[in-house]
Amino acid sequence: MASRPPTRSPLPRLVNTQTAVLDTHNGRVLCIADIRGHLSVLNDFARDNNAVAIIHTGDFGFFDAASLDPNGINDRTLRHLASYTPFVPSAQRDELNQQPIDSIRSLVNISLLSEFPLLLSGQIKLRVPVYTVWGACEDVRILEKFRQGTYAIDNLHVLDEATTRCIQVGGVKLRLLGLGGALVPHKMFDNGDGHATIAGGQGTMWVTALQIGELVDTSQRVYDNTETRVLVTHASPGREGIIAQLALVVKADITISAGLHFRYATSYNEFSVQGDYEGFRHKIMIGKQGFDRVWESVRPQVEAVMDDHQKILMDKALSVVERVPPVLSPSQPAHEEPAWKNCWNWNLCDAAYGSLVLDVKDGRISAELKSQGFNFAYRRTAATAQTPSQPNATLPPSNMSQGPTTVPTPVPAAAPDTTRSTPPPAAATTDKDSPSAKVNGANTAAEKAEREKAKKKEKKERKEREKAEKEKEKKDEKEGGTPQSTNAPVLPESGSGAIVSSDSGLKSPVTETGSSGVRTPKTGKPPRHPWTIFMRMPNGFSATDAEMKEFFGEAGNKIMKIHWPTPNPHFGHRAKIAYVDFEDEESMRTGLEKHAEKLNDIVPHVMQATDKETREAAAGRGTMRGRGRGGGAYAARGFAAAGLTRGGFNKGGNGGDAAAATQAPAPAPAPET
């Protein structure tokens, strides 16, 4: 049910269209999404990508100081905007988001939401044309002022249902058609605080049915077969069937959208992502059914208040919903929808994470897609499984929660073959003239008996080895020693089908193929945080978190956690150590390079933390050169006192004296909903 029916429209607006010749030979058009009010970087993006124009797909940052009034942005939207504003560091955003909404309202001002007032006043000037639609989080009041002509900004073109632009670049005419706002089916007949065809309120904006109808009318009025049509939307046609139907009706050759907030941009056509043509039709039918349910519930109220012009626009909107690709039949294959293979779609990630560049030259549109992507650095120190091709792989530790598997892999019964019997499992090769090489399965029973005999013999030998090892361990324990685990698996003979036996933990069974792979070790510890700095200070030293942040200067605001390990009470005279976790690699590098010389009148030792495996590998290469006996044993004992193991110093002071941090990596920010 619509909360407020569409207002009566003024006289039909004329189509606002202009053609701009940007470059007659070639040009690059930058496409980005969700700039979130950080408008000063648009010129930087254009310069870095050598772009002659920018296409933006919504969440531009249409806010001003009045947007924060009590009747402006509602609590939920304000919290959302504060959570993702680019003007506040991520660590402080997290702290801000945990505050009650009254505190957020008192702390957030327009400078933390958008630079639009600076753009409007002329303090920020756009150096290339920017073509944008509005997004899901905008102030409808500001957009109405653009539509009424109250606001006008050089090089800023707001695309809407009655405003279209054509840019000629590289021998191609790009016709830009725009549809802003989120697609919310149950709000498509509610204008909120908007007038005429657009809708919004309390800091959000959404698509209306009349808006779709007027966009169809505009596309029909300016149709030119020589133009390449680009549909720019905030909602994605890949997710929303109605947007895909709109692309069919306006005859779009390219669609550019956002709204999904992925870390990678996507490039596709329907043929590449749908299993078949019916999958394409199914997506559109779902969108149609969702619209029909809402339309049938509000139809009487809407039709009662619509004027003649609005009825025309509503008919055009309904024509979009009814635009379903025809069913293919073997007798009429030529009726396949052309957009099924020919319309190309790009869904962009946020501007902070990537962009799309359309390089237009001599009539051809090339695409360059850049995405920051996911950060997999946390896997660098994760325990990895050895591949089966490594026969000398190190076994898992002996303190695992599960014991070794003792059930042998069954040997499949030999099936009679019509050409040749199954070869024996012995390591030696079978001579073709040997009597054992019989045809038609003549020697199958004898071979099976031999295999059973060899398997029993191997099993007996393995039990004897296990018994001897256990007795030796018991003897060592009685004498005060520590049992030593084997460093390599004991492999049975090929073809035995037996289990590798050892006290080192859970192993994979050895099959007839002779595989010696082991299971992935599970230490039970979380992976070390990848961007950690190790610090060593004199015994008895202390410092507050604020003093630590001040020591690291400009990187101090990027500190996530400061960990002071509890010293071993038996070694109280040892050095004081600390681990400092940073948000990213860049901030960690900055902390290493630009930290202060002294911290509370002492000069601490500062370096990047490394994991235990790296230090042990360094020790194996002979790079450990400690003081005193044993080539680093003195330093190793010092680190053992601090809760570490197997470390030391080389002559340069970098010989593995950092330890593995045990904190898990910071989770990635949740996508917007």
Side-chain angles (χ1 to χ4, degrees), residues 179-252:
L179 181 73
L183 186 69
V184 186
H186 68 272
K187 284 190 172 184
M188 294 185 70
F189 304 96
D190 176 14
N191 282 77
D193 297 335
H195 300 283
T197 53
I198 71 171
Q202 298 185 325
T204 62
M205 297 190 67
W206 56 88
V207 176
T208 69
L210 292 181
Q211 187 181 353
I212 292 176
E214 188 163 0
L215 179 58
V216 172
D217 182 73
T218 297
S219 69
Q220 293 170 346
R221 290 173 184 265
V222 299
Y223 181 76
D224 184 346
N225 196 39
T226 65
E227 297 174 349
T228 300
R229 297 196 143 196
V230 181
L231 178 61
V232 183
T233 62
H234 185 65
S236 170
R239 293 285 300 272
E240 306 293 350
I242 293 178
I243 304 298
Q245 289 176 293
L246 178 63
L248 296 178
V249 173
V250 302
K251 301 183 185 300

Side-chain angles (χ1 to χ4, degrees), residues 242 245 284-293 321-322 324:
I242 293 178
Q245 289 176 293
I284 290 178
M285 287 299 299
I286 290 177
K288 178 183 183 305
Q289 292 168 2
F291 178 90
D292 287 343
R293 285 193 295 268
V321 179
E322 297 299 327
V324 179

Side-chain angles (χ1 to χ4, degrees), residues 407-630:
V407 181
T409 303
V411 179
D417 189 272
T418 57
T419 58
R420 185 176 297 274
S421 62
T422 304
T429 57
T430 303
D431 192 343
K432 64 180 180 179
D433 298 327
S434 173
S436 62
K438 303 295 183 179
V439 297
N440 297 330
N443 206 26
T444 301
E447 292 173 355
K448 183 176 180 181
E450 289 292 332
R451 287 199 302 271
E452 292 292 336
K453 183 177 179 181
K455 186 167 68 174
K456 290 180 179 179
K457 181 179 178 181
E458 195 281 332
K459 184 176 181 180
K460 181 179 179 181
E461 292 175 351
R462 187 182 72 249
K463 288 184 175 180
E464 291 176 353
R465 287 197 303 269
E466 292 177 353
K467 183 177 180 181
E469 290 175 359
K470 291 181 179 179
E471 290 177 354
K472 185 177 182 301
E473 289 176 2
K474 291 180 179 179
K475 183 178 179 181
D476 291 341
E477 290 177 357
K478 290 180 179 180
E479 295 176 356
T482 302
Q484 300 292 327
S485 61
T486 58
N487 292 327
V490 180
L491 302 179
E493 297 179 0
S494 175
S496 66
I499 305 302
V500 178
S501 178
S502 174
D503 294 330
S504 299
L506 183 63
K507 275 73 66 177
S508 297
V510 178
T511 62
E512 291 189 359
T513 61
S515 171
S516 59
V518 298
R519 297 186 186 274
T520 304
K522 298 182 179 179
T523 64
K525 298 181 179 179
R528 179 182 65 81
H529 186 74
W531 303 303
T532 301
I533 286 180
F534 169 81
M535 299 179 64
R536 186 178 73 252
M537 288 76 64
N539 181 37
F541 175 81
S542 64
T544 65
D545 289 356
E547 291 170 338
M548 294 285 282
K549 291 182 179 180
E550 183 180 357
F551 173 76
F552 285 102
E554 60 185 271
N557 292 331
K558 297 288 186 177
I559 293 177
M560 296 174 57
K561 183 177 181 180
I562 302 174
H563 177 54
W564 301 86
T566 303
N568 191 319
H570 300 291
F571 298 92
H573 61 284
R574 301 303 187 188
K576 183 80 170 182
I577 61 175
Y579 301 100
V580 185
D581 295 349
F582 287 81
E583 290 183 3
D584 50 39
E585 184 177 6
E586 180 181 357
S587 59
M588 180 195 70
R589 297 294 180 193
T590 303
L592 286 171
E593 297 170 0
K594 299 183 180 181
H595 63 76
E597 181 179 355
K598 291 187 176 182
L599 174 61
N600 290 354
D601 298 328
I602 65 101
V603 180
H605 183 77
V606 181
M607 66 180 292
Q608 181 179 355
T610 59
D611 54 85
K612 179 179 177 182
E613 289 78 6
T614 303
R615 298 195 305 280
E616 291 179 350
R621 292 193 297 269
T623 59
M624 306 282 281
R625 295 293 183 268
R627 297 173 295 172
R629 297 177 299 169

Side-chain angles (χ1 to χ4, degrees), residues 75-93:
D75 293 349
R76 180 179 179 183
T77 304
L78 180 61
R79 185 180 291 276
H80 169 81
L81 293 172
S83 299
Y84 294 97
T85 174
F87 303 104
V88 178
S90 58
Q92 296 181 20
R93 286 203 302 265

